[in-house]
Amino acid sequence: MEELLSYILSVQTLVLVLVIFLLKSSIKFVPQNQAYVIERFGKYQSTKEAGLNFILPFIDRISADRSLKEQAVDVPEQSAITKDNISLHVDGVLYFRVLDPYKATYGVDDYVFAVTQLAQTTMRSELGKMELDKTFEERDVLNTNIVASINDAAGPWGIQVLRYEIKDIVPPQSVMEAMEAQMKAERVKRAQILESEGDRQAAINRAEGEKASVVLAAEADKEEQVLRAEGEAKAIVAVASAQAEALRQVGEAAATEEGQKAIQLDLASKAIEAKRAIAKESSVVLLPDGATEPSAVVAQAMTIIQQMTKGS
């Protein structure tokens, strides 16, 4: 009896262990951003996504574990020839992810190797369409064209290429020396252009300054001449006015008895002075006559003044 109980206990323990093993084999926890490809009897059965999943023990098996995350693959350095027959060494980085685990498993043997080789051949093809200068200036266009070409070919593999980045483009040493000489000449050219532009602007500024100086000097000279002319005109008018006023006052004074006496005295004095001057400068002595007497001269001058006074 004890042997039977021991046997039954052993069988129950074995069954329990078998059940636990079967449960453990049938329950599969798939991590986030991963997918399990399940085969049943060697044939594709299903794709298990993230979470709790069940399979049949001994019948189903995990054929492939595919990561759905974005992956970065280094594209090895390779040589390529540009449109203008320049040999380059180019390398880059490829970013892609698996969209369809089924196609990635059964569409290609090694999708990472396949997409890397496709990136290399596509890069050589795209570089062959461009000249050397364009490869440096249009890297974004080159990267975009490579991504589009790879996606067209990698569609049956369930792969999506997100972007391709060229790391280095290395031309031959002779080409690098020529490019360096060209860049140096371009920098010298720009420096000379800037210097000539500076000289031209300085000359323009000096000419404009001299022009403004001449204009200001001419305007100042013009204003000076105008002011001088106005001053001279005012002076002439003032002198004429003073002379007119003096003559008017003399005329008014001459119309009076005192004025007549003053005029007679002045004329007599001037006549005597004139005779004295003549006598001093001449060796001939003139005898006085009636016409040359101071009184006669004064009388004649007075007659003229009276006639002018009556006429006025």
Side-chain angles (χ1 to χ4, degrees):
M1 188 66 179
E2 292 179 359
E3 294 179 357
L4 180 60
L5 291 175
S6 178
Y7 176 74
I8 294 173
L9 183 61
S10 299
V11 172
Q12 290 177 348
T13 303
L14 182 60
V15 171
L16 180 61
V17 171
L18 181 60
V19 169
I20 294 174
F21 175 77
L22 292 175
L23 288 175
K24 183 179 180 181
S25 300
S26 62
I27 298 174
K28 297 297 179 182
F29 295 97
V30 182
Q32 185 67 31
N33 284 334
Q34 282 189 259
Y36 290 169
V37 177
I38 306 300
E39 291 182 353
R40 178 171 295 174
F41 297 115
K43 183 180 179 181
Y44 172 77
Q45 194 272 331
S46 62
T47 300
K48 304 299 183 181
E49 297 180 351
L52 177 63
N53 294 274
F54 297 92
I55 62 174
L56 297 178
F58 307 110
I59 298 176
D60 297 339
R61 75 179 186 90
I62 299 175
S63 174
D65 178 6
R66 299 304 180 200
S67 174
L68 304 181
K69 300 177 183 179
E70 182 177 345
Q71 302 179 50
V73 177
D74 185 51
V75 179
E77 183 181 81
Q78 61 178 329
S79 61
I81 299 177
T82 63
K83 186 177 181 180
D84 48 354
N85 297 323
I86 302 298
S87 178
L88 302 176
H89 292 278
V90 186
D91 60 354
V93 180
L94 184 67
Y95 298 86
F96 68 93
R97 65 189 181 96
V98 176
L99 291 181
D100 191 339
Y102 172 80
K103 292 182 179 180
T105 303
Y106 300 104
V108 63
D109 184 50
D110 186 348
Y111 66 87
V112 175
F113 176 78
V115 76
T116 302
Q117 295 299 311
L118 184 59
Q120 288 182 316
T121 56
T122 305
M123 182 166 55
R124 282 196 296 268
S125 176
E126 292 296 328
L127 285 174
K129 301 176 184 178
M130 304 175 67
E131 295 181 353
L132 177 62
D133 293 339
K134 296 296 183 180
T135 60
F136 295 101
E137 297 174 0
E138 300 181 2
R139 281 198 180 191
D140 293 339
V141 176
L142 182 60
N143 293 337
T144 302
N145 293 339
I146 292 175
V147 169
S149 300
I150 295 175
N151 280 329
D152 290 341
W157 304 340
I159 305 298
Q160 181 188 21
V161 178
L162 303 176
R163 58 190 179 278
Y164 181 84
E165 299 291 341
I166 295 177
K167 292 195 296 183
D168 293 313
I169 298 178
V170 183
Q173 185 64 29
S174 59
V175 175
M176 292 182 65
E177 292 175 356
M179 293 174 62
E180 184 177 356
Q182 181 181 1
M183 289 186 292
K184 183 178 179 181
E186 186 66 25
R187 287 194 295 268
V188 172
K189 175 184 175 182
R190 288 198 297 265
Q192 292 176 348
I193 291 175
L194 291 176
E195 184 178 359
S196 63
E197 287 291 334
D199 294 340
R200 185 176 70 89
Q201 189 62 40
I204 291 174
N205 292 339
R206 285 194 297 270
E208 291 179 351
E210 293 175 356
K211 176 183 176 182
S213 177
V214 171
V215 170
L216 291 176
E219 292 179 352
D221 185 62
K222 175 184 175 182
E223 292 179 358
E224 181 182 359
Q225 292 179 359
V226 170
L227 292 176
R228 186 184 298 113
E230 291 178 352
E232 292 176 354
K234 290 180 180 179
I236 293 172
V237 171
V239 171
S241 298
Q243 291 177 350
E245 180 63 22
L247 292 174
R248 186 186 64 79
Q249 292 181 3
V250 170
E252 291 179 353
T256 63
E257 184 178 354
E258 290 79 5
Q260 293 291 327
K261 293 179 179 180
I263 291 174
Q264 292 176 5
L265 179 60
D266 183 63
L267 291 175
S269 299
K270 289 182 178 179
I272 293 170
E273 289 294 332
K275 287 181 177 290
R276 182 181 298 172
I278 293 173
K280 186 182 294 185
E281 295 179 2
S282 176
S283 60
V284 180
V285 178
L286 297 177
L287 295 176
D289 56 6
T292 59
E293 287 296 328
S295 58
V297 175
V298 172
Q300 292 176 1
M302 291 301 298
T303 302
I304 294 172
I305 292 173
Q306 289 176 0
Q307 290 179 356
M308 292 177 62
T309 303
K310 289 179 181 180
S312 60

